[in-house]
Amino acid sequence: MRKLLLAALICTPLVAESNEPAKRLEESAAVFSEIMSAPDKGIPDELLEKAQCIVIVPGLKKGAFIVGGQYGKGYLSCRRKNGRGWSAPGTVRMEGGGVGFQIGGSETDVIMLVMNQRGADKLLSSQFTVGAEGEVAAGPVGRSSTAETDALMRAEILSWSRSRGAFAGIALKGATLRQDVDDNQALYGKKLENRDIVTTGIAPPSSAAKLLALLNRYHTRESD
């Protein structure tokens, strides 16, 4: 009996840990749904339709920004090769960066759109520093992307943040995105690189169904 109890106590944290990435997928879906359902206050549909990849990091902690520690975790997904639908999600960790993230509130949600293949290739590397290796701009807010200036059209990445209900474009610079193969293992049963998840057509986990369904509501992007 003692051995069984000890085994249960040892295994319980592991089960909880393995469920954390799935829970974060649900949080990412909720963040995206809430932002896109806000009338005239979400990401312009035209930009989402043109995007090559999307990154969603829900609930970044303000305290972590101040000490420069780990900001939080989220997911990326990219268009499939044929331009129809979105890939299974890969996990990311966001670290570093400056005080630009601290726009108020205890938590901040971040969404990034990667607008071309060059940016996608950088995003799918094992580590990518936003602003240092890719051009980034604050994304416009609203259903019409009439604010597409030359700077926006040149940007590889457009980014937004939401804190205390306020949603606005923010030019992320200095933040590092790293893939998290441990969380990928929790979702897929083995340590996969994000590039492999996105490019090989691997089946997504069931916990990603809601997020992918939301992404697939938007028009497909034809392959280049």
Side-chain angles (χ1 to χ4, degrees):
M1 180 64 71
R2 287 183 177 179
K3 290 182 178 180
L4 289 174
L5 180 59
L6 179 61
L9 290 174
I10 293 174
C11 292
T12 297
L14 298 177
V15 172
E17 182 177 344
S18 66
N19 288 337
E20 183 183 344
K23 180 180 179 182
R24 196 177 303 114
L25 270 171
E26 296 177 1
E27 294 171 351
S28 297
V31 166
F32 183 72
S33 177
E34 291 167 5
I35 287 173
M36 295 306 295
S37 62
D40 298 321
K41 294 182 179 180
I43 297 170
D45 292 348
E46 299 97 317
L47 293 179
L48 185 59
E49 291 164 11
K50 295 175 183 178
Q52 183 71 27
C53 301
I54 186 170
V55 177
I56 304 173
V57 183
L60 303 183
K61 304 298 183 183
K62 183 175 179 181
F65 297 121
I66 296 172
V67 300
Q70 181 172 305
Y71 290 158
K73 296 182 179 182
Y75 291 93
L76 63 83
S77 179
C78 296
R79 297 283 186 182
R80 295 186 180 277
K81 290 182 179 180
N82 61 5
R84 299 182 179 278
W86 294 80
S87 71
T91 61
V92 294
R93 290 184 292 151
M94 183 177 284
E95 305 168 337
V99 295
F101 286 109
Q102 299 180 43
I103 62 173
S106 59
E107 293 187 350
T108 301
D109 304 314
V110 171
I111 292 183
M112 292 180 279
L113 293 184
V114 180
M115 303 307 296
N116 55 40
Q117 187 59 49
R118 181 184 176 189
D121 288 338
K122 294 175 181 177
L123 178 67
L124 295 176
S125 60
S126 60
Q127 178 177 322
F128 171 50
T129 301
V130 179
E133 300 169 11
E135 191 171 359
V136 60
V141 175
R143 283 294 171 261
S144 175
S145 57
T146 54
E148 287 185 359
T149 63
D150 289 342
L152 289 178
M153 297 302 290
R154 290 196 307 267
E156 291 181 353
I157 297 175
L158 299 175
S159 52
W160 294 261
S161 64
R162 182 182 68 165
S163 182
R164 289 186 177 178
F167 183 64
I170 182 172
L172 306 179
K173 290 186 178 180
T176 299
L177 271 70
R178 305 174 189 268
Q179 63 181 359
D180 194 324
V181 293
D182 291 328
D183 276 3
N184 283 342
Q185 181 177 28
L187 286 175
Y188 297 98
K190 54 184 176 181
K191 290 188 176 182
L192 295 171
E193 302 277 333
N194 281 348
R195 185 177 295 274
D196 293 334
I197 293 173
V198 167
T199 62
T200 61
I202 189 171
S206 58
S207 53
K210 184 175 181 180
L211 176 60
L212 293 179
L214 288 167
L215 290 173
N216 286 328
R217 288 182 184 177
Y218 296 88
H219 297 173
T220 58
R221 170 178 174 166
E222 296 298 329
S223 56
D224 295 331

